[in-house]
């Protein structure tokens, strides 16, 4: 995926939440931990393979191959 510019760590997501949502550092870190927990849950269920920030600095999910097949079959 040529448009992936970096992986998103808890700290990256916290900074993103501070910038986009105006949260203070502590609250942003708490929310980022919840986001990562949700992403890990989706990974365990086979829905996504990972997450990253795209070229526009938006947080994106990387769907699993199985999820892509389901999406393709619904079109």
């Amino acid at each position: 995926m040529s448009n992936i510019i970096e992986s998103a760590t808890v700290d990256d997501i916290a900074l993103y939440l501070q910038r986009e949502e105006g949260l203070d550092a502590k609250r942003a870190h708490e929310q980022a931990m919840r986001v990562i927990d949700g992403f890990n849950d989706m990974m365990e269920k086979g829905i996504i393979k990972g997450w990253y920030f795209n070229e526009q600095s938006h947080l994106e999910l990387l769907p699993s191959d199985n999820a892509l097949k389901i999406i393709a079959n619904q079109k």
Side-chain angles (χ1 to χ4, degrees):
M1 298 189 97
S2 62
N3 65 335
I4 297 175
I5 57 172
E6 66 182 1
S7 297
T9 65
V10 172
D11 291 336
D12 294 331
I13 294 172
L15 288 172
Y16 175 81
L17 291 171
Q18 282 181 276
R19 184 185 73 228
E20 296 297 318
E21 302 294 327
L23 301 177
D24 62 53
K26 182 180 179 190
R27 181 123 168 98
H29 191 267
E30 291 168 353
Q31 292 295 325
M33 291 295 294
R34 288 189 190 115
V35 168
I36 294 290
D37 287 344
F39 289 168
N40 284 325
D41 184 51
M42 286 188 273
M43 282 182 68
E44 289 172 10
K45 292 177 179 173
I47 299 169
I48 64 170
K49 292 191 273 189
W51 54 91
Y52 61 95
F53 282 104
N54 67 17
E55 292 170 340
Q56 292 81 32
S57 298
H58 295 122
L59 192 55
E60 296 281 339
L61 300 177
L62 184 61
S64 68
D65 294 337
N66 192 40
L68 289 174
K69 287 177 190 173
I70 292 169
I71 293 167
N73 288 335
Q74 291 180 354
K75 289 185 177 181

